[in-house]
Amino acid sequence: MRAVTASVLCVGVLLAWPAMSQQAQLIPDPKAAATRSQASTAVGAKDQLTIVSTTPDAEVADLLADFRADHPGIDVSYSKINSNDIYNQIVDPSSSSAPPGDIIWSSAMDLQIKLVNDGYAQPYASKQVAHLPDWAVWKDEAYAITAEPIVIVYNKNLVAESDIPRTRAELKNLLSRKPDVYRGKIASYDPEQSGTGFLFITRDAGITRTTWDMVRAFGGAGIKLYSTTGTVLDRISSGEHLIAYNMIGSYAIERAKEDASIGIVFPADYITLMSRIAFIPAAAPHPESAKLFLDYLLSERGQRFLLTRSVGPVRLGLGADGVIPPDRNGAVKPIHIGPELLTYLDQSKRASFLKEWRRALQDR
């Protein structure tokens, strides 16, 4: 019980990270600003940059404003579209009327790696690469921009403290012990409809075969499945659901800052780290602008702007205050950027996994 309470208290402390401290960290360094302005001038006074991303505009508004201020000679446009449309636009440009992207930034890790693997990216050795972990870069083409924990979310007002699961085994046991209390009250992503949901559950199954015992417990509890994080958080907040598994931590942490009913558990057994991956397309109309923006995203300044939105930094030495509790740092398991992400893009393997998923849900 002490471990559970400590973990929850730790989250509460981290979520109260002072905004004034964040702003202080973002005060521009005059020398650094001068260097960035010189780089901007080198690109040209009328250059362009088109960013195509799955991240909502509001989450990166401050970051984009800062980049624009430091590079006034670059006309920056930002398009938020879903990951499948991004993939199709790169593979078949004629399928979209949207302008081609100069940099592609998406949370669909597997689709991003497939595009890189199939030759749709150009190499660029970022100036920031020395500050990144080995798992965050592939072929000098694909770069992890973030390191975001996948968490368990619960309703703090309605879930008894003794029921808060701090590991997957505890979650499975809870559902077995109290089937009537939690029937219809568990939520997660639908792996058949959500690409990230599919990625997370296949990752779980790859780490431990006991994942299938948990899925069977989900089936017995009548788990409800969704394709978007916002919908799940709304229903946890309302009490329609009580516990949500495998949620993207950055969204949950931001929601918890404004919604006192949202509780977050960083699992003690392991914490999956997902990344939003960026690459410069081989056909990018303005690759030099894209290189500047990629370097900016990976710079300490860019990473700190992401951190103000509870998006975990990938940059080494920066820390993840407000994102991952210090006592959970040893439990993180990042999803490595590379060809292993291609495994379940094989349609036969995907179909086989989903068949086992459905069977486990029905095997109560």
Side-chain angles (χ1 to χ4, degrees):
M1 183 61 61
R2 292 193 186 96
V4 174
T5 304
S7 178
V8 174
L9 287 174
C10 185
V11 173
V13 171
L14 288 167
L15 294 179
W17 189 28
M20 291 294 291
S21 174
Q22 295 172 355
Q23 293 301 320
Q25 291 172 327
L26 295 174
I27 296 175
D29 177 349
K31 293 182 179 179
T35 301
R36 289 191 296 271
S37 296
Q38 291 171 5
S40 176
T41 303
V43 171
K46 296 183 179 180
D47 213 337
Q48 308 288 315
L49 173 64
T50 299
I51 306 162
V52 178
S53 176
T54 57
T55 300
D57 304 40
E59 287 190 33
V60 292
D62 291 342
L63 178 145
L64 293 177
D66 185 64
F67 180 80
R68 288 185 175 109
D70 282 346
H71 300 84
I74 301 178
D75 183 11
V76 180
S77 63
Y78 186 90
S79 297
K80 192 274 181 188
I81 62 178
N82 71 54
S83 56
N84 286 332
D85 287 344
I86 287 177
Y87 179 85
N88 292 332
Q89 180 179 324
I90 294 291
V91 173
D92 181 13
S94 66
S95 67
S96 172
S97 59
D102 296 306
I103 188 164
I104 309 299
W105 184 19
S106 171
S107 58
M109 299 179 70
D110 49 358
L111 291 179
Q112 291 286 86
I113 292 301
K114 179 168 175 55
L115 288 168
V116 172
N117 186 68
D118 292 350
Y120 290 101
Q122 60 176 277
Y124 171 58
S126 172
K127 297 174 183 178
Q128 306 295 334
V129 72
H131 302 285
L132 305 178
D134 291 341
W135 59 261
V137 183
W138 189 47
K139 298 170 58 177
D140 282 340
E141 294 178 9
Y143 289 85
I145 304 300
T146 65
E148 302 173 56
I150 306 307
V151 301
I152 298 171
V153 178
Y154 66 97
N155 185 302
K156 289 165 60 174
N157 300 326
L158 300 175
V159 176
E161 185 175 319
S162 58
D163 284 358
I164 299 171
R166 63 187 183 87
T167 67
R168 290 160 180 82
E170 288 185 7
L171 176 57
K172 177 187 76 69
N173 292 337
L174 174 66
L175 301 183
S176 299
R177 287 189 294 107
K178 298 185 174 182
D180 293 335
V181 173
Y182 290 99
R183 183 166 290 113
K185 297 295 186 178
I186 307 299
S188 190
Y189 296 119
D190 185 345
E192 300 194 57
Q193 301 296 325
S194 165
T196 51
F198 182 82
L199 177 65
F200 300 158
I201 196 65
T202 54
R203 172 74 171 174
D204 286 338
I207 291 173
T208 172
R209 288 294 299 178
T210 61
T211 294
W212 295 112
D213 295 331
M214 184 175 63
V215 174
R216 281 185 279 273
F218 287 163
I223 190 171
K224 304 300 181 182
L225 302 172
Y226 299 90
S227 58
T228 63
T229 309
T231 301
V232 176
L233 294 178
D234 287 344
R235 295 183 182 183
I236 290 290
S237 179
S238 71
E240 180 177 346
H241 300 317
L242 298 179
I243 297 175
Y245 178 70
N246 263 2
M247 294 290 103
I248 297 175
S250 55
Y251 297 118
I253 295 169
E254 283 295 294
R255 180 64 173 267
K257 291 177 181 178
E258 302 176 351
D259 187 341
S261 70
I262 297 294
I264 302 171
V265 173
F266 298 83
D269 45 354
Y270 66 88
I271 301 170
T272 295
L273 286 185
M274 66 153 280
S275 300
R276 307 183 204 198
I277 298 176
F279 70 86
I280 302 172
H286 310 97
E288 297 307 311
S289 296
K291 292 172 185 176
L292 283 175
F293 185 66
L294 180 60
D295 284 340
Y296 172 79
L297 285 176
L298 295 170
S299 70
E300 181 173 350
R301 186 181 181 87
Q303 293 278 292
R304 287 196 183 280
F305 267 103
L306 292 172
L307 192 52
T308 65
R309 300 291 299 188
S310 303
V311 176
V314 71
R315 188 181 175 93
L316 294 170
L318 192 56
D321 291 347
V323 178
I324 300 176
D327 66 342
R328 291 289 186 266
N329 284 334
V332 298
K333 289 185 178 292
I335 300 175
H336 289 209
I337 310 304
E340 59 267 29
L341 281 165
L342 301 174
T343 300
Y344 287 105
L345 288 178
D346 180 299
Q347 291 305 304
S348 63
K349 291 180 179 178
R350 176 183 174 85
S352 177
F353 183 90
L354 290 174
K355 183 178 180 180
E356 188 169 4
W357 162 264
R358 295 187 207 103
R359 184 187 300 119
L361 284 180
Q362 296 166 6
D363 182 14
R364 304 176 184 181

